[in-house]
Amino acid sequence: MKDAWDRFNWLWEILFAVAYLATTVLVVLDEADPLRTAVAVGALTALALTYLLWGRGVVRDEGHLPQRWTLAVVVLVLVGVSVFAATTASFILFMVCPLLFSTLEFRPAAAFTTVAILLSPASAVVNDGLRGPTLHILLPMTAILIVFGILSGKFILHVIEESRARADLIARLEASQAEVARLSREAGTAAERERLAREIHDTLAQGFTSIVTLAQAIESEVDTDPAAARRHAELAARTARDNLTEARGMVAALAPADLTSGSLVDAVRRQANRLADEAGLAVRYEVDGALPALPMAGEVVLLRGAQEALNNVRRHAAASTVSVTLSVVDDAVRLSVRDDGAGFDPDHADGFGLRGMRSRAEQVGGRLSVRSGPSGTELTLEVPA
């Protein structure tokens, strides 16, 4: 991630090039002594090459504190050589002052900048022997340049610090976004695993339980009651086919097969009829009026609730009669499953089935209630219409 200082560094490169070329041209045009001109131009060229071949990397990279101090000293020495050779070379300070503040921290950079600016009047005094009014004008101008250079350097450092702070903030935000995305994927994966676990429990596991029960019945009836054994074999084959259809539906991420081939009323009826056929119970199924159209998610909750409730009756209730009712109550579709079995304590039921039903209901804004006692159990599941 490049910060603003890196992205707009090309502007500084242009300033550097313009300052070097302009200063060199002024020295050549202004200085009459060829030797002084050669020394000044040589020092300016050495300064330019030092920055291009070495200083750029030192300035742009973090750290390198010893190299930064070395660069600042080399720059100051070359500026001194060029300025004492030709006072006109002081125009190079337009490039040198920002470079010093980009290289060092504020206080040492301010000190180096002050020394660099003082080189110009010192050179004028040494080379030209300025006295009187001219010196009185030069010194105040030098003081103004020092103040201006320091304030400009302060601004430069502020821009660099703000730019790097923003770059660091952006990097942290990107890292946070990556972490949020990772946690979101993990949460989504966990939710999908829980959903698949409920689907498997409510469909395939219950179907396999029915097949095992029917197989046991066939084993006990095959010699004594062949007709009942054949009937149970047909039921086992039908349950296996239904399980295969459900498995294909889950693999294809489709709705439950019973709902894709018919209505919720028909789907619950098939579950009630299956219990009557497999367990030999008296199952009464009622639909109290026309049901409103429900979202697929709501229909799935009611169908899976009916499957789980009827499977619990088959496995645990030891009931003789079961009543299944679909009705509309207060803008909600209610599924009610009653049996006259042994009952249980709902507060201490830790099976996956009830937890799965309750979780499904909460996901669609519904609710599940269970009342049970010695005379039987009533499970009520409501889904908003």
Side-chain angles (χ1 to χ4, degrees):
M1 171 63 67
K2 290 185 177 182
D3 58 27
W5 179 254
D6 292 325
R7 292 198 304 271
F8 296 103
N9 191 64
W10 60 274
L11 293 173
W12 158 249
E13 304 289 353
I14 292 176
L15 173 63
F16 175 89
V18 170
Y20 166 72
L21 292 175
T23 304
T24 301
V25 170
L26 289 174
V27 169
V28 172
L29 295 177
D30 185 68
E31 184 58 51
D33 187 340
L35 179 59
R36 287 178 175 272
T37 300
V39 172
V41 171
L44 292 173
T45 303
L47 176 61
L49 292 177
T50 297
Y51 172 73
L52 291 175
L53 300 179
W54 175 47
R56 295 173 72 188
V58 174
V59 172
R60 292 169 67 90
D61 295 337
E62 297 288 343
H64 305 297
L65 187 58
Q67 294 186 42
R68 287 175 177 271
W69 277 94
T70 303
L71 175 62
V73 171
V74 170
V75 167
L76 190 61
V77 170
L78 292 175
V79 169
V81 172
S82 64
V83 170
F84 274 92
T87 305
T88 311
S90 59
F91 282 98
I92 199 64
L93 293 175
F94 284 105
M95 180 269 287
V96 169
C97 292
L99 177 59
L100 291 173
F101 278 100
S102 301
T103 305
L104 301 175
E105 295 182 353
F106 177 72
R107 290 185 178 180
F112 271 71
T113 298
T114 301
V115 173
I117 294 173
L118 289 174
L119 290 174
S120 180
S123 170
V125 171
V126 171
N127 294 331
D128 302 329
L130 294 179
R131 296 291 187 272
T134 304
L135 187 59
H136 291 313
I137 295 175
L138 184 60
L139 291 178
M141 290 182 60
T142 301
I144 293 173
L145 288 175
I146 292 174
V147 173
F148 178 77
I150 293 175
L151 292 178
S152 299
K154 182 68 174 178
F155 175 75
I156 291 172
L157 288 178
H158 177 72
V159 170
I160 294 174
E161 292 172 358
E162 287 291 325
S163 176
R164 289 174 177 169
R166 290 191 184 97
D168 183 62
L169 177 60
I170 292 173
R172 291 201 302 269
L173 288 175
E174 289 178 345
S176 299
Q177 289 176 342
E179 180 67 11
V180 169
R182 183 186 67 81
L183 294 175
S184 179
R185 287 194 299 270
E186 292 180 356
T189 300
E192 182 63 13
R193 286 175 178 170
E194 183 179 355
R195 185 190 70 82
L196 288 175
R198 290 196 302 266
E199 290 288 335
I200 292 172
H201 176 273
D202 293 344
T203 56
L204 302 184
Q206 294 178 5
F208 289 137
T209 300
S210 298
I211 292 172
V212 171
T213 302
L214 292 170
Q216 292 172 344
I218 292 170
E219 185 179 4
S220 64
E221 296 167 346
V222 67
D223 295 327
T224 59
D225 192 350
R230 283 194 297 273
R231 182 171 62 85
H232 286 152
E234 292 174 356
L235 289 173
R238 187 177 70 186
T239 302
R241 285 193 293 271
D242 291 343
N243 259 24
L244 179 60
T245 302
E246 287 286 355
R248 288 172 175 168
M250 282 190 289
V251 170
L254 299 175
D258 283 344
L259 293 178
T260 58
S261 60
S263 66
L264 174 65
V265 172
D266 294 334
V268 176
R269 178 180 288 110
R270 282 192 289 272
Q271 297 301 318
N273 292 338
R274 179 180 297 175
L275 176 64
D277 293 339
E278 294 178 358
L281 301 179
V283 180
R284 185 181 64 185
Y285 177 55
E286 294 181 355
V287 179
D288 186 8
L291 301 183
L294 289 175
M296 178 59 69
E299 292 189 346
V300 170
V301 170
L302 292 172
L303 175 59
R304 297 309 187 209
Q307 289 175 320
E308 176 63 22
L310 295 176
N311 183 64
N312 287 339
V313 171
R314 177 193 295 110
R315 296 175 58 190
H316 308 296
S320 58
T321 61
V322 181
S323 172
V324 180
T325 304
L326 280 174
S327 58
V328 180
V329 180
D330 297 332
D331 296 327
V333 176
R334 174 184 292 176
L335 168 71
S336 178
V337 179
R338 301 185 184 89
D339 67 72
D340 60 354
F344 66 100
D345 185 356
D347 294 333
H348 294 85
D350 57 357
F352 183 83
L354 287 178
R355 286 190 287 108
M357 274 195 286
R358 183 167 285 106
S359 177
R360 283 180 183 274
E362 291 173 352
Q363 288 178 358
V364 297
R367 63 187 183 91
L368 172 72
S369 62
V370 180
R371 294 184 298 175
S372 185
S375 60
T377 300
E378 179 179 6
L379 180 146
T380 302
L381 178 61
E382 292 185 359
V383 170

